[in-house]
Amino acid sequence: MLGAIEAGGTKFVLAVSDDEFNILERQSIPTTTPEQTFEKVFEFFDQYDVSAIGIGSFGPIDVNIKSETYGYITSTPKTAWENTDFIGVMKERYSVPMGWTTDVNAAALGELTYGAAKGKESCLYLTVGTGVGGGAVIKGEPLEGFGHPEMGHILVRKHPEDHFEGHCPYHGDCLEGLAAGPAVEKRYGKKAQELTNNEQVWEIEAHYLAQALMSYTLTLSPEKIILGGGVMKQAQLFPLIRDKFIRLMNDYVQTPDMEEYIVSPQLKDDAGITGCLILAQRAL
């Protein structure tokens, strides 16, 4: 039996599966303090005899196996979780192998194995919601170096009609500061779902996301780009992003058919938890 934790900034999704990734039980709990949240995590996993656990966590996290703080959540904006030894706390309770990466790397792994990028060797997964985060899998392995990608914090050119100063507490007008859900809400004074019919909102949103996807494509050349998260449930964004992406590229490099290249998650909200189960199997 495999265990999985998709540790998001708003909620944790906990699951157990058989060795073919058929989910036998799952539970969603709110992300509160580390003490309260781990108590609920233990209540769930104490019921099962798991052979390994895969964890995809909100970040920033330390993924460098040589680091003294490997397995920690580090300089997160969620201050209660700053410098939390996630893997250490879990290992104290469960003496099983554990896989560890970011929540978006886990989602990319899930989509590459069973979702929109199945049959490919690489993909990039970008979530646009409360924040903006990106993960990539290259030749079947999550992309990591001394740390992990922080794709939501790249700089983008401002839209000429956008006078919003940005929402990111670290960088102001980076991609997350301009395109995440809270940035949309702060710019217009309404939540994204209340702005569906406002064309300018999505014109500006697509302006930023297309620039980001151009940068990722020119840097990593992923075979598929998958866009998830709450903001991307605005389906009208996809054609706008594809059109702007084509214009930005200006035929500089040959890219696949846009309808097949920039897509929504095939696993929908199960991409992350599926990737975590795969991490568990790999750890085992």
Side-chain angles (χ1 to χ4, degrees):
M1 187 178 282
L2 303 171
I5 303 173
E6 183 185 6
T10 305
K11 66 178 180 180
F12 274 41
V13 179
L14 316 172
V16 290
S17 79
D18 61 21
D19 57 4
E20 294 182 349
F21 308 120
N22 297 305
I23 293 177
L24 306 174
E25 193 63 60
R26 68 188 292 163
Q27 182 180 338
S28 178
I29 60 173
T31 306
T32 55
T33 65
E35 295 77 15
Q36 292 171 337
T37 308
F38 279 121
E39 183 180 346
K40 296 289 187 185
V41 170
F42 296 157
E43 283 178 13
F44 179 81
F45 284 109
D46 283 354
Q47 303 172 80
Y48 306 102
D49 183 19
V50 294
S51 301
I53 299 173
I55 304 165
S57 176
F58 68 90
I61 64 174
D62 190 341
V63 295
N64 185 347
I65 196 73
K66 299 176 183 177
S67 170
E68 291 183 0
T69 54
Y70 170 77
Y72 276 61
I73 294 175
T74 57
S75 55
T76 175
K78 293 185 71 66
T79 53
W81 286 83
E82 196 167 8
N83 297 317
T84 294
D85 184 4
F86 200 125
I87 290 290
V89 171
M90 291 297 294
K91 286 275 191 183
E92 280 183 15
R93 188 81 169 197
Y94 309 107
S95 297
V96 298
M98 295 186 188
W100 170 250
T101 193
T102 62
D103 49 357
V104 279
N105 264 350
L109 185 59
E111 286 290 334
L112 185 81
T113 310
Y114 290 113
K118 187 176 181 181
K120 307 291 186 185
E121 290 194 351
S122 64
C123 76
L124 185 146
Y125 185 100
L126 190 76
T127 183
V128 188
T130 306
V132 177
V137 178
I138 309 294
K139 296 191 182 301
E141 294 295 328
L143 179 62
E144 297 173 348
F146 74 87
H148 55 80
E150 280 289 354
M151 298 184 195
H153 294 270
I154 65 170
L155 301 180
V156 288
R157 295 174 180 169
K158 290 287 290 285
H159 189 287
E161 296 176 19
D162 185 15
H163 305 294
F164 179 58
E165 69 277 10
H167 183 69
C168 175
Y170 291 93
H171 312 115
D173 60 354
C174 64
L175 178 64
E176 179 172 293
L178 293 170
V184 174
E185 183 178 348
K186 192 171 181 182
R187 184 187 283 114
Y188 298 103
K190 295 181 179 180
K191 292 189 179 295
Q193 55 264 38
E194 298 174 45
L195 296 163
T196 300
N197 297 321
N198 186 326
E199 292 183 7
Q200 186 194 38
V201 172
W202 310 113
E203 159 73 23
I204 289 174
E205 184 75 6
H207 173 84
Y208 295 128
L209 293 175
Q211 288 182 69
L213 301 194
M214 176 188 180
S215 295
Y216 306 147
T217 298
L218 293 175
T219 306
L220 298 176
S221 300
E223 293 172 87
K224 185 86 72 173
I225 293 177
I226 301 152
L227 302 179
V231 172
M232 292 310 306
K233 294 189 188 298
Q234 299 283 340
Q236 71 274 20
L237 267 175
F238 281 91
L240 292 172
I241 292 168
R242 291 175 187 131
D243 181 62
K244 289 180 181 297
F245 179 92
I246 290 168
R247 282 190 278 153
L248 285 167
M249 278 295 194
N250 198 27
D251 293 326
Y252 180 65
V253 296
Q254 186 175 3
T255 50
D257 174 66
M258 284 297 101
E259 297 282 338
E260 296 294 321
Y261 187 57
I262 300 172
V263 300
S264 58
Q266 191 171 310
L267 298 178
K268 303 192 185 310
D269 294 334
D270 284 340
I273 202 68
T274 302
C276 293
L277 289 167
I278 297 166
L279 284 175
Q281 186 191 58
R282 290 185 175 190
L284 188 59

